[in-house]
Amino acid sequence: MNRTFKYSSLCVVCLLLHTQFGFSQSILGKWKTIDDLSGKEKGIVEVYEKSGLIYARILDIFETEYKNKKCSLCAGQDKDKPLLGLIFIRGLKKDGDEYNGGKVLDPKIGKYYKCYIKLEDPDKLKIRGYVGIPMLGRTQYWYRVKK
């Protein structure tokens, strides 16, 4: 084998590994939500990017009594929208190794909170909603949905 072929092959392998590593380090994708109080699996959400900002919407709800509910306590654009499909995280921006500057909606009480998201490891996402400062809030951990 000639030296150029070996070098080209090595570059292709490195590029493929880098691409796979970069994808696994993204907060984008589908996540299983876990209730921070009960520890129960609640549903599946999708974290996505639109116009450079991060959003999340509800794709599935495991508790049957909530599947057909609407956000009756919500105000504004979310008032009486179905929980399935509801965009409940809005407008986060990348800031170092976390995403912040947006808000998270608690659809059970219809209230918005400041929030940040941080990737703890490739398959574990930390979500913290808070009032005022991050110390005054709640944290949930979500787990990547494997295909």
Side-chain angles (χ1 to χ4, degrees), residues 62-89:
F62 297 156
E63 295 174 294
T64 55
E65 68 267 21
Y66 290 105
K67 280 193 182 262
N68 296 316
K69 289 237 180 201
K70 294 186 178 187
C71 198
S72 58
L73 297 176
C74 294
Q77 65 185 350
D78 296 321
K79 178 77 174 153
D80 293 325
K81 282 194 175 177
L83 293 182
L84 279 176
L86 185 69
I87 299 169
F88 70 102
I89 293 180

Side-chain angles (χ1 to χ4, degrees), residues 7-17:
Y7 179 73
S8 297
S9 298
L10 180 62
C11 287
V12 169
V13 169
C14 288
L15 181 62
L16 289 173
L17 288 174

Side-chain angles (χ1 to χ4, degrees), residues 27 46-57 77-78 87-95 98-105 112-117 130:
I27 67 166
E46 178 183 29
V47 177
Y48 64 96
E49 183 177 353
K50 180 179 176 187
S51 301
L53 299 175
I54 298 297
Y55 298 84
R57 69 176 140 238
Q77 65 185 350
D78 296 321
I87 299 169
F88 70 102
I89 293 180
R90 299 175 188 273
L92 299 178
K93 299 173 201 153
K94 186 160 179 56
D95 181 15
E98 70 180 38
Y99 295 80
N100 57 42
K103 57 187 177 178
V104 61
L105 170 67
Y112 282 99
Y113 299 93
K114 293 179 180 179
C115 77
Y116 72 84
I117 294 177
Y130 59 95

